[in-house]
Amino acid sequence: MAANTLGSVMVVGGGIAGIQTALDLADSGYYVYLVEKSAAIGGVMAQLDKTFPTNDCAM
Amino acid sequence: MSEVKKVDGVEGDFTVTVKKSPRYIDMDKCIACGLCAEKCPKKVDSEFNMGLDKRKAAYILYGQAVPLKYAIDGENCIYLQKGKCGACEKYCPTGAVNFKDAAEEVQIKVGSLILSPGFKPFDPTVFDTYDYAHIPDVVTSLEYERLLSASGPCMGHLVRPSDHSEPKKIAWMQCVGSRGFNKCDNGFCSSVCCMYAIKQALVTAEHTTGDVSQTVYYMDIRSHGKDFEKYYVDAEKKGVKFLRARPHTLIPGTDGKGVKLRWVDDQSQEHYEEYDMLVLSVGLEAPKDARVLAEALDIKLDRYKFAETGSFAPVTSSRPGVYVAGCFQSPKDIPQSVTEASSAAASAAIALSSARGSLTKEKTYPPEIDVTSAEPKIGVFVCSCGINIAGVIKVDEVVEYAKTLPGVVFVENNLFTCSSDTQVMIAEKIKEHGLNRIVIAACTPRTHEPLFKDTLREAGINEYLIEMANIRNQNSWVHAKEPEKATEKAKDQVRIAVAKAALLCPLEHISVNVVQKALVVGGGLSGMIAALGIADMGYETVLLEKSNSLGGNAMKLIKTWKGEEIKPQVQAVIDKTQSHPRIKVYKNATLKSAVGSVGNFVSEVEANGETLAIQYGVGVVATGGSELKPAEYLYGHDKKVKTHQEFDALLESNDASVKNAESVVFIQCVGSREPGRPYCSRVCCTHSMESAIALKKMNPDMNVFIFNRDIRTYGLREDLYTEARKLGVIFVRYEVEAKPTVALDGGALYVTGMDHILRRPLKIKADYLVLASAIVPNQTKELVELYKCSVGAEGFLTEAHPKLRPVDMSVDGLFLAGLCHYPKPIDEAVAQAQAAVSRAGVILSKSVMPLDSIKSAVTDKCDGCALCVDTCPYNAISLEVYEDGGKEHKRIATDKALCKGCGICMATCPKRGVNVAGFTMDQISAQIDTALAGF
Amino acid sequence: MEAVEVKKIKSEIKERLSKFDFSLCYACGTCASGCPIPGTPGMEGWDPRTALRMITLGMIDEVVESDFPWVCTGCGRCGHGCPMGIDLVPIWGLLKSLRDRDKVPGTLHKGVMAVLETGNNLSIPKDDYLMTLADVGNELAEEELPGFYVPVDKKEAEVMFFPNSKEVFGDFEDMKWWWKIFYAARENWTVPSENWEAVDWGLFTGNAQATTVLARRKIQLMNDLHVGRMIMPDCGGGSYGCRTGMKNCALENPDEKTNYLYLYEYLKELLESGRIKVDPSVNEGKTFTWHDSCKHGRELERHFGRAFYDEPRWILEQCVGKENFVELTPNRSNNFCCGAGGGNWPMPFEKQSAAHGRFKVEQIKRSGANVVVVGCSNCRDQIMKRLPKYYPGECNYEVKYIWQLVAESLVFEPMEGEELAKAEAAGAAQWEALGVDLEAGY
């Protein structure tokens, strides 16, 4: 552990997991860098039509 | 468009080298008008639509993309490749195109890293038997997902690729690229394919006209998640055919359309089928660049290239300060990914707690324009929701109709009203047309109202000046077969919403002070992990345990499925919990009362005969579950019949009778997946594998049988199933209608069951019979009543949203973890507890928390009759005495932190003495009047 | 129904079975869905999954006593599709080996005994063999190929060719195709005078020992005559059996090996180097397809890491032109067996073998081909003779060996002058030395 701790976090990958992580951390007082390889975040979940078992629209 | 190249430094102070690839579009200038894509002459396979259609070299990934900024794909751009063209640059109205953009490397300093790079869908072209490359109507599940999607290549009206006709007979084939070593090395189960195939089969009916037949070819149906089993049973009832069979070869159908196959049943009978389409349920592999990423970050991967983690630190990679979440850790579904995401956030937050808030700033909004006395200028936004709404309701008609309504000055239809580009647009329209009341005709306010409220604030008007008409859930979804009537109903809904909107008033923002302290109910592993996490973040925590010791079920288990010893680890957690300076543990404790709300709860707790009051801002419920004591298979009648926990105790004691046993039989699903308990207990298959493997290793000559209905060793646990088979454990399938029978004959125990392949009875003299009995939730009746939280039919506590808020409870400020939510193994319980920590941390990190403004308030008509005081379910109303004109009067007063705005008080009051802001009597009357005006 | 009691497998059999990891079986039924046996008359209730299940439950004897391992053509589609990659065919081979030799169906075991004793499956005496070679060769020389003769035991030859006893016994015309090719290429080739049998029935009876002996003989012959390479003709009992035997030999003694050449490699080499030339116009007006045999494709790939999919297609293309070629579907590594594999051409399960071929008949019909080209004598006989008999009216095609197609498409120069005189003299000298009187006839 570094002596001088930074209050920022990098999240690598902007799918649903990365987005949720980033939101939680940002809402808890941390500065978040979200790094995404493609041109937009959303990941595979954005490609899904609906999700089980509630048939919610994934978008 | 960035990738991590290198990570230097140590936990708390990393320097990350990030390579930013050129976008060739200036994000600040791009207004996402789409002209660049329109003018771009180069067509490229659309990766978002799985290559089913084309995008341009200047593109956005998808319509609702965030950020909504175009990009130029340098590898396909004609100008960048050949130096000619430049159409986009010429037509871009803002000069956003920048061909000189170049890749750059930047260095960013962070305290932690969280990796969530996702997964790679398995490429089925390696299977010559399925001939995916040559049969157009054989598609992967992800392609099928795009074919179903309203934003996909066929706008949500399913057609098959070969001739664009609507398929009527569709099959799914499971475990393609999962659970196999042939032509791939994917010994794991991808965890989600059974469920997504069932979903696709069910949803297909909504995307086609007329009858459709759906068949799923499978090995084991793995509906092991919460409410999954019911979903599966429901699909079966709705006519989805499930065939436990595996076609070997797919061949093109007549004229190259559709697909033909042959399958052989377990009695060696052959069957021939022809389908219009077949979906390969492809597995989830580690991301393509997992190895590169692991090297850049110096973290360890497992044999399948997923990130290596331990059961007691399920999101912690092998490098301190680097965490993982989602499918990179192992294949998993959305709820589990979101849970892990929060868990990873908690892990990072705990490690960096000393620096919390040092680098962030609050979001600011423009000053609010006061529209209280302004004439209503109503804007109506009608959502198509892809085809979800527009597929049934004629949105154009609704739009035209809305224009005729009083007070309405602007109406517009959007493909997705919730998309971020639409938010920008709504804000612009508010400013442009001076709109001061907004009606959104779309879906449910439950999930989407916060988004639109924020849009209103951004536009400078009070966020409560909005009304939603739910024309999706309450209309298009339920009236799909009556489109005409649905359109009429949508008009009614919009008219009602407009009537109310006209009367909306801005509401004052209110907030509560947050008590930065947590209460954790339940001292099992989940409860302790939650308490430790919150305490490690720096908040005082009280832990209640109803028994006289901590540890719960975990102390009865031997090893995790990954092979880690459990007891020493749990003991360490117990010691840490008990000695933590910020944790106060009460044993033999029960919760007696609970008042207050998020940020400020007060409870009475009885512990060791004493009563004490505890004030806390958030609560974590981890009340656990327990092993069902079976009422069948001679359990309780013969000592050779044991439950898992009982047999584990025997295994641990090195009992000679176990080692010398000739045969041990396991029966799965005892008490699970039956009408009384229609859920899968999730952990029992894996538990039986562990026990069976231990037995076979102890004595390879022992006959070990596992009677099962489906083996559900999901994810990497499949390796255990493989190992068990390799060691010679024999698996026999039974149907719930024909369970194995157990009988005693001269003191010997016999288990008889039909062999599912030979169709002949197998009779086994069993030295031990182990029943994999269900996990049932511990009783939570009092707790549920105290908090007014919701609970499912089987007694498991309910989360606010199974996917998006999987650890939040229905009551704000309360979170759940562990078996009280659903049966789960240790690693998942720990992840969930850590996720609860993260979610709790979001609240605890603030000293003041804004509240919803929908609250009841006394009016001048109140005469203090106090009828509402008794009916308020949240104890939010009290009677107060005041003086007026020298006389004492009584009237009610509402505690705004406790009030949920439910309106029971208002309904009870005979004199209009109490009103709920945002749902006033006038507003509701207006809605009813206009609703009835239609008749 | 009588309950099954799980039996312990004899440790010696268990040991032999253990190398197959068959207990990994999911019982998913992929093997069964890909196997021709379900739906085959007389085989009700049998498929690879059932057989494997019986082994799992210790019911070895029941499987050994059944027809299942014998009716299986060893096509290997079961293992090819198995998610666990279990190699099932050798398990059936092991079960075949467990049957008493006097209970091996039909003439297969007799053939194995014959080849071990006499050097060929049909016990053709050496004199008759040589006489046939001389006589048929002579006939060919007179009709088409001036100067042709079959070189026997020729030292330092480039390639050694092993005849199929079926052809030597009666299908004389079928010998001529290769001979024409050798002639056109002016190949320095030879055949052995003894132990010349190409076909190995040991492979079909689970007799690994015989397979090894037969391969060892071939290696021996090659070494004795200092011949560089042998051509592996035929598919299953021919090249695949030989290859298996050679592997066993090499395992026992690393020095026991020889150079070999698959027939496809050889034909391609001749065509590519220009040593032979073909004229596709002679095949105009017909549509050709290629039948991938199991033992030159899928099974060879699995066990020896190499399959011949592209070579025969290339050869066909040279002979008939790309436009006259159509594929069967499925093909290559997932192709259907003709139904004669595993010894099912000579074995007494004709009905079953014909039933296996139902997939072949259907896929040929679906392809629209008029000519089915094959690389194996059993495939040829099955597709050409047995299938039309059982599926009258549905088999409107011709069948040709790939070497027949090459031979029929050849453009070659007959020997003349000095070359011819030299060849004729050499032929006459050879037969005289071997004591074969060409004038005597039969």
Side-chain angles (χ1 to χ4, degrees):
Chain A
M1 193 81 194
N4 190 14
T5 308
L6 298 167
S8 57
V9 179
M10 180 176 290
V11 177
V12 184
I16 183 62
I19 293 172
Q20 182 66 46
T21 310
L23 284 173
D24 270 12
L25 283 165
D27 284 343
S28 306
Y30 299 90
Y31 194 90
V32 180
Y33 298 92
L34 180 56
V35 176
E36 164 61 39
K37 202 165 54 171
S38 78
I41 60 170
V44 177
M45 191 171 167
Q47 288 177 281
L48 305 182
D49 178 47
K50 285 181 181 167
T51 56
F52 60 80
T54 46
N55 287 0
D56 286 331
C57 158
M59 188 55 76
Chain B
M1 307 195 72
S2 303
E3 284 169 81
V4 171
K5 288 287 159 197
K6 203 167 74 154
V7 179
D8 297 311
V10 292
E11 179 177 19
D13 188 5
F14 289 113
T15 302
V16 188
T17 308
V18 175
K19 183 190 166 199
K20 291 166 80 175
S21 297
R23 194 180 191 101
Y24 303 108
I25 300 262
D26 185 334
M27 298 247 281
D28 294 332
K29 291 181 185 164
C30 176
I31 54 163
C33 66
L35 262 177
C36 54
E38 196 185 310
K39 301 294 178 189
C40 175
K42 175 74 180 183
K43 285 186 177 174
V44 183
D45 280 348
S46 155
E47 55 273 70
F48 190 75
N49 283 337
M50 306 309 293
L52 291 166
D53 63 359
K54 304 278 181 190
R55 61 160 169 86
K56 297 292 187 63
Y59 71 108
I60 46 167
L61 214 49
Y62 55 105
Q64 303 82 38
V66 176
L68 195 71
K69 302 289 174 186
Y70 277 74
I72 292 172
D73 166 1
E75 278 173 28
N76 286 297
C77 167
I78 298 171
Y79 182 85
L80 288 164
Q81 291 298 321
K82 295 181 184 154
K84 281 180 209 154
C85 183
C88 50
E89 191 180 25
K90 202 164 92 192
Y91 286 99
C92 177
T94 62
V97 174
N98 172 18
F99 287 124
K100 294 203 178 74
D101 197 3
E104 58 169 328
E105 285 201 348
V106 292
Q107 303 214 314
I108 297 173
K109 289 181 79 68
V110 292
S112 298
L113 279 109
I114 290 160
L115 307 179
S116 50
F119 64 88
K120 171 182 163 295
F122 178 78
D123 175 2
T125 45
V126 296
F127 293 121
D128 59 338
T129 45
Y130 303 154
D131 210 11
Y132 164 74
H134 298 111
I135 312 180
D137 295 330
V138 172
V139 299
T140 69
S141 41
L142 215 46
E143 288 168 344
Y144 193 74
E145 206 69 49
R146 296 313 299 152
L147 290 173
L148 289 177
S149 173
S151 62
C154 45
M155 319 283 281
H157 295 285
L158 179 66
V159 294
R160 64 177 179 181
S162 66
D163 60 359
H164 298 98
S165 69
E166 196 176 82
K168 294 290 176 200
K169 195 176 170 196
I170 306 169
W172 280 259
M173 184 135 83
Q174 300 308 108
C175 299
V176 177
S178 305
R179 304 180 69 190
F181 299 110
N182 193 352
K183 298 175 189 72
C184 60
D185 184 25
N186 294 351
F188 55 87
C189 158
S190 295
S191 289
V192 298
C193 325
C194 284
M195 289 305 294
Y196 74 56
I198 297 172
K199 175 204 71 182
Q200 291 182 344
L202 282 173
V203 168
T204 293
E206 296 168 21
H207 291 263
T208 51
T209 52
D211 285 342
V212 58
S213 110
Q214 310 102 311
T215 305
V216 180
Y217 290 93
Y218 72 100
M219 298 205 279
D220 300 274
I221 287 292
R222 294 190 168 170
S223 48
H224 50 274
K226 190 170 184 174
D227 288 334
F228 291 5
E229 181 73 11
K230 283 189 256 187
Y231 195 69
Y232 165 41
V233 172
D234 185 49
E236 227 171 352
K237 280 190 196 141
K238 286 183 174 154
V240 177
K241 207 155 115 192
F242 290 90
L243 285 177
R244 201 188 290 273
R246 243 179 123 68
H248 178 283
T249 289
L250 304 178
I251 58 174
T254 317
D255 301 326
K257 291 165 196 160
V259 54
K260 286 186 197 170
L261 60 84
R262 169 185 185 251
W263 64 278
V264 169
D265 65 25
D266 51 18
Q267 290 171 78
S268 309
Q269 292 281 336
E270 57 170 353
H271 306 265
Y272 292 87
E273 292 287 352
E274 185 160 359
Y275 294 97
D276 296 334
M277 245 185 122
L278 186 137
V279 183
L280 300 173
S281 293
V282 294
L284 277 50
E285 290 182 327
K288 203 165 68 187
D289 56 357
R291 192 78 74 196
V292 178
L293 189 65
E295 271 165 27
L297 281 127
D298 193 21
I299 59 164
K300 282 190 194 144
L301 302 181
D302 68 17
R303 63 173 288 205
Y304 300 121
K305 293 193 281 177
F306 294 112
E308 216 174 81
T309 60
S311 297
F312 291 88
V315 297
T316 306
S317 80
S318 58
R319 181 172 181 182
V322 178
Y323 308 95
V324 294
C327 289
F328 183 42
Q329 194 253 19
S330 68
K332 57 178 61 71
D333 56 22
I334 296 168
Q336 195 60 29
S337 293
V338 173
T339 303
E340 267 180 19
S342 288
S343 175
S347 304
I350 290 166
L352 307 179
S353 58
S354 63
R356 184 177 62 237
S358 60
L359 295 170
T360 55
K361 53 183 184 220
E362 280 295 305
K363 180 174 180 179
T364 53
Y365 292 96
E368 210 171 283
I369 305 155
D370 184 12
V371 297
T372 319
S373 50
E375 193 64 17
K377 289 174 91 176
I378 303 172
V380 181
F381 297 87
V382 183
C383 181
S384 293
C385 196
I387 63 150
N388 270 302
I389 293 170
V392 177
I393 293 166
K394 289 188 186 121
V395 286
D396 296 351
E397 273 189 31
V398 178
V399 166
E400 288 312 310
Y401 176 76
K403 286 179 183 165
T404 67
L405 296 170
V408 174
V409 298
F410 180 81
V411 187
E412 192 172 71
N413 165 233
N414 321 104
L415 183 63
F416 288 101
T417 305
C418 61
S419 68
S420 61
D421 56 322
T422 311
Q423 302 321 298
V424 176
M425 194 277 298
I426 292 174
E428 277 166 12
K429 296 295 175 195
I430 289 172
K431 288 176 198 158
E432 189 185 328
H433 298 276
L435 306 178
N436 55 23
R437 308 286 189 279
I438 301 299
V439 169
I440 307 280
C443 54
T444 168
R446 220 177 105 121
T447 52
H448 283 75
E449 203 177 56
L451 172 78
F452 297 120
K453 280 180 165 176
D454 199 59
T455 302
L456 264 61
R457 282 187 84 179
E458 296 269 8
I461 60 172
N462 186 274
E463 71 207 81
Y464 291 96
L465 298 169
I466 185 172
E467 179 64 14
M468 286 183 76
N470 189 347
I471 59 169
R472 188 185 72 176
N473 309 39
Q474 296 173 356
N475 191 337
S476 64
W477 277 1
V478 285
H479 304 305
K481 289 189 178 144
E482 294 176 297
E484 301 278 315
K485 287 185 183 171
T487 303
E488 287 312 306
K489 177 171 169 179
K491 290 179 190 171
D492 290 342
Q493 288 178 293
V494 170
R495 186 178 70 247
I496 294 165
V498 166
K500 181 179 173 190
L503 301 175
L504 287 174
C505 300
L507 301 180
E508 183 196 350
H509 290 125
I510 51 177
S511 58
V512 288
N513 293 329
V514 175
V515 178
Q516 286 172 310
K517 187 172 171 181
L519 173 72
V520 177
V521 185
L525 184 60
S526 303
M528 290 190 291
I529 295 286
L532 278 171
I534 295 170
D536 282 343
M537 278 180 165
Y539 309 107
E540 297 290 325
T541 306
V542 174
L543 176 66
L544 306 183
E545 166 55 40
K546 73 175 173 200
S547 76
N548 59 6
S549 64
L550 298 177
N553 283 301
M555 285 306 269
K556 295 178 193 156
L557 300 168
I558 307 173
K559 281 183 179 175
T560 66
W561 67 271
K562 286 183 177 175
E564 302 127 322
E565 290 285 347
I566 292 175
K567 289 190 184 78
Q569 298 257 28
V570 176
Q571 191 55 53
V573 174
I574 294 174
D575 295 345
K576 214 175 145 196
T577 305
Q578 287 181 327
S579 61
H580 200 290
R582 281 187 291 274
I583 300 178
K584 177 77 191 139
V585 178
Y586 293 103
K587 294 178 192 168
N588 300 312
T590 40
L591 194 67
K592 285 291 166 196
S593 71
V595 293
S597 59
V598 55
N600 193 356
F601 291 101
V602 180
S603 280
E604 276 181 339
V605 170
E606 199 182 285
N608 296 316
E610 281 176 48
T611 304
L612 44 126
I614 297 168
Q615 197 183 8
Y616 51 100
V618 296
V620 177
V621 180
T623 47
S626 50
E627 186 182 69
L628 174 81
K629 296 290 171 203
E632 52 187 334
Y633 300 121
L634 296 185
Y635 180 79
H637 297 277
D638 189 84
K639 286 202 165 126
K640 295 188 279 295
V641 185
K642 307 262 180 207
T643 66
H644 257 310
Q645 285 188 352
E646 291 160 0
F647 192 66
D648 276 357
L650 208 59
L651 270 176
E652 266 196 315
S653 68
N654 283 322
D655 196 300
S657 70
V658 175
K659 194 171 178 171
N660 299 329
E662 275 188 34
S663 292
V664 174
V665 178
F666 293 77
I667 299 180
Q668 301 303 112
C669 296
V670 177
S672 302
R673 303 180 63 195
E674 289 185 2
R677 244 170 263 102
Y679 61 88
C680 164
S681 290
R682 196 172 172 105
V683 299
C684 345
C685 279
T686 308
H687 199 154
S688 293
M689 289 311 147
E690 288 178 69
S691 305
I693 289 167
L695 290 171
K696 273 289 194 184
K697 282 187 173 166
M698 202 185 278
N699 175 7
D701 285 333
M702 191 189 297
N703 278 323
V704 181
F705 296 87
I706 299 185
F707 283 84
N708 65 89
R709 291 172 60 192
D710 291 278
I711 290 294
R712 293 181 167 176
T713 42
Y714 60 97
L716 305 177
R717 293 160 187 82
E718 185 72 5
D719 279 346
L720 293 179
Y721 182 22
T722 307
E723 189 184 354
R725 292 196 317 282
K726 197 168 175 141
L727 291 169
V729 176
I730 297 175
F731 292 83
V732 189
R733 194 120 53 213
Y734 73 89
E735 302 296 325
V736 68
E737 303 81 24
K739 291 180 176 181
T741 56
V742 182
L744 280 168
D745 186 358
L749 189 69
Y750 288 92
V751 181
T752 308
M754 191 63 88
D755 183 75
H756 60 299
I757 302 298
L758 300 184
R759 294 282 151 184
R760 283 168 65 179
L762 276 178
K763 189 173 180 184
I764 304 147
K765 185 180 167 207
D767 297 282
Y768 281 104
L769 169 61
V770 185
L771 303 180
S773 65
I775 288 180
V776 290
N778 288 338
Q779 202 267 103
T780 52
K781 196 164 161 274
E782 289 85 9
L783 185 125
V784 166
E785 277 173 13
L786 289 178
Y787 285 115
K788 316 280 183 225
C789 56
S790 34
V791 61
E794 291 90 33
F796 293 109
L797 297 174
T798 310
E799 58 277 43
H801 188 282
K803 275 174 288 289
L804 303 179
R805 294 170 68 197
V807 300
D808 298 28
M809 291 177 72
S810 55
V811 174
D812 288 344
L814 293 186
F815 306 94
L816 44 69
L819 301 184
C820 67
H821 159 259
Y822 193 67
K824 56 178 64 70
I826 281 183
D827 48 352
E828 291 173 10
V830 171
Q832 201 181 17
Q834 287 179 336
V837 170
S838 175
R839 303 296 298 155
V842 168
I843 295 170
L844 294 174
S845 65
K846 299 168 187 70
S847 53
V848 175
M849 208 183 95
L851 290 181
D852 194 272
S853 299
I854 309 291
K855 303 291 177 192
S856 73
V858 66
T859 71
D860 53 6
K861 298 202 174 75
C862 176
D863 62 2
C865 77
L867 268 177
C868 58
V869 175
D870 295 334
T871 54
C872 175
Y874 304 102
N875 300 324
I877 301 178
S878 55
L879 205 58
E880 64 175 19
V881 178
Y882 71 103
E883 255 190 45
D884 187 27
K887 280 173 85 178
E888 269 198 1
H889 297 275
K890 282 181 181 169
R891 69 177 174 198
I892 57 144
T894 301
D895 180 333
K896 293 208 187 316
L898 288 178
C899 175
K900 302 252 181 235
C902 73
I904 292 179
C905 52
M906 193 163 82
T908 310
C909 181
K911 307 150 191 124
R912 293 204 171 196
V914 60
N915 238 339
V916 176
F919 291 88
T920 64
M921 290 297 277
D922 290 347
Q923 290 164 353
I924 292 171
S925 298
Q927 286 181 286
I928 294 170
D929 290 346
T930 192
L932 296 176
F935 292 93
Chain C
M1 203 184 297
E2 199 196 337
V4 175
E5 274 188 46
V6 179
K7 280 176 264 182
K8 294 250 184 276
I9 302 173
K10 273 188 226 151
S11 60
E12 171 240 330
I13 299 173
K14 202 170 174 178
E15 164 102 36
R16 286 177 66 191
L17 275 169
S18 66
K19 67 175 178 189
F20 298 114
D21 261 348
F22 71 92
S23 67
L24 279 175
C25 175
Y26 271 129
C28 68
T30 309
C31 52
S33 295
C35 174
I37 289 179
T40 289
M43 296 305 295
E44 291 75 14
W46 283 98
D47 67 43
R49 167 169 56 178
T50 307
L52 212 53
R53 185 70 178 174
M54 291 171 79
I55 297 173
T56 303
L57 297 175
M59 300 160 76
I60 305 275
D61 294 347
E62 285 90 331
V63 190
V64 170
E65 283 158 23
S66 77
D67 289 341
F68 175 78
W70 305 92
V71 170
C72 161
T73 67
C75 75
R77 291 185 95 239
C78 45
H80 183 65
C82 174
M84 287 292 109
I86 301 170
D87 191 9
L88 291 109
V89 173
I91 301 179
W92 316 141
L94 193 159
L95 294 170
K96 283 179 172 183
S97 78
L98 294 176
R99 190 181 272 207
D100 291 343
R101 291 296 95 180
D102 58 349
K103 288 180 183 148
V104 170
T107 58
L108 283 180
H109 184 60
K110 290 191 191 78
V112 174
M113 297 310 284
V115 76
L116 291 175
E117 215 169 287
T118 70
N120 70 82
N121 291 350
L122 302 175
S123 300
I124 299 168
K126 185 177 176 182
D127 289 352
D128 289 2
Y129 164 68
L130 292 175
M131 190 63 208
T132 303
L133 295 183
D135 205 35
V136 180
N138 205 28
E139 193 182 293
L140 193 60
E142 280 166 17
E143 287 167 1
E144 275 185 82
L145 315 177
F148 176 81
Y149 75 100
V150 179
V152 180
D153 288 344
K154 187 175 174 188
K155 286 203 171 161
E156 317 285 340
E158 288 296 325
V159 296
M160 171 103 71
F161 184 82
F162 291 88
N164 180 336
S165 53
K166 184 156 76 174
E167 294 173 1
V168 176
F169 185 76
D171 296 340
F172 304 138
E173 291 303 309
D174 289 338
M175 292 193 286
K176 292 181 181 172
W177 315 116
W178 276 114
W179 295 357
K180 277 189 189 175
I181 294 167
F182 293 141
Y183 179 86
R186 300 293 194 269
E187 185 59 272
N188 177 14
W189 68 294
T190 189
V191 298
S193 60
E194 285 178 343
N195 290 335
W196 47 266
E197 175 68 86
V199 178
D200 167 17
W201 282 356
L203 183 77
F204 301 150
T205 60
N207 191 340
Q209 225 175 343
T211 293
T212 311
V213 169
L214 296 180
R216 181 167 293 135
R217 282 179 183 172
K218 291 189 172 69
I219 297 168
Q220 192 70 46
L221 275 167
M222 297 282 293
N223 291 343
D224 288 353
L225 293 170
H226 302 286
V227 180
R229 308 189 290 185
M230 63 176 278
I231 295 180
M232 291 199 162
D234 240 323
C235 76
S239 64
Y240 188 84
C242 186
R243 205 42 213 282
T244 309
M246 279 160 59
K247 191 172 157 188
N248 296 345
C249 290
L251 284 175
E252 287 169 22
N253 176 4
D255 295 335
E256 271 193 325
K257 56 184 176 200
T258 187
N259 284 333
Y260 51 82
L261 198 59
Y262 279 88
L263 67 96
Y264 308 105
E265 293 175 290
Y266 180 64
L267 291 175
K268 190 171 179 211
E269 186 183 296
L270 293 185
L271 283 163
E272 248 175 355
S273 63
R275 287 177 65 196
I276 60 171
K277 286 189 176 60
V278 286
D279 175 12
S281 70
V282 300
N283 295 309
E284 260 172 29
K286 287 178 185 164
T287 305
F288 292 76
T289 190
W290 170 248
H291 162 70
D292 290 285
S293 78
C294 312
K295 292 280 191 279
H296 271 164
R298 182 169 48 238
E299 284 289 280
L300 195 64
E301 193 170 10
R302 177 189 271 276
H303 290 108
F304 298 99
R306 157 133 213 219
F308 293 97
Y309 302 128
D310 294 326
E311 293 83 352
R313 285 172 173 78
W314 184 86
I315 295 164
L316 246 78
E317 227 172 79
Q318 310 308 306
C319 296
V320 307
K322 207 172 188 157
E323 62 285 2
N324 296 320
F325 178 77
V326 291
E327 286 283 7
L328 299 177
T329 329
N331 53 47
R332 300 166 86 100
S333 55
N334 195 30
N335 191 31
F336 291 122
C337 176
C338 62
N344 271 283
W345 177 251
M347 254 196 296
F349 299 110
E350 191 176 320
K351 257 197 312 204
Q352 287 85 346
S353 161
H356 295 345
R358 65 197 188 275
F359 299 103
K360 197 87 248 164
V361 173
E362 191 274 335
Q363 85 174 149
I364 295 171
K365 211 158 76 175
R366 188 155 37 90
S367 76
N370 329 100
V371 187
V372 183
V373 184
V374 300
C376 163
S377 65
N378 285 336
C379 302
R380 204 260 320 227
D381 288 351
Q382 172 85 354
I383 300 174
M384 190 166 84
K385 299 172 186 170
R386 188 175 284 163
L387 296 183
K389 177 175 154 194
Y390 281 85
Y391 303 92
E394 293 187 67
C395 302
N396 304 313
Y397 53 72
E398 289 176 69
V399 184
K400 284 184 198 295
Y401 286 125
I402 191 166
W403 50 89
Q404 175 185 1
L405 181 70
V406 171
E408 285 176 350
S409 317
L410 277 174
V411 183
F412 63 92
E413 286 171 15
M415 291 182 184
E416 289 173 347
E418 201 181 323
E419 188 190 17
L420 176 63
K422 226 171 125 182
E424 280 174 342
Q430 175 188 285
W431 295 125
E432 200 188 324
L434 289 166
V436 178
D437 184 0
L438 275 169
E439 302 306 313
Y442 285 104

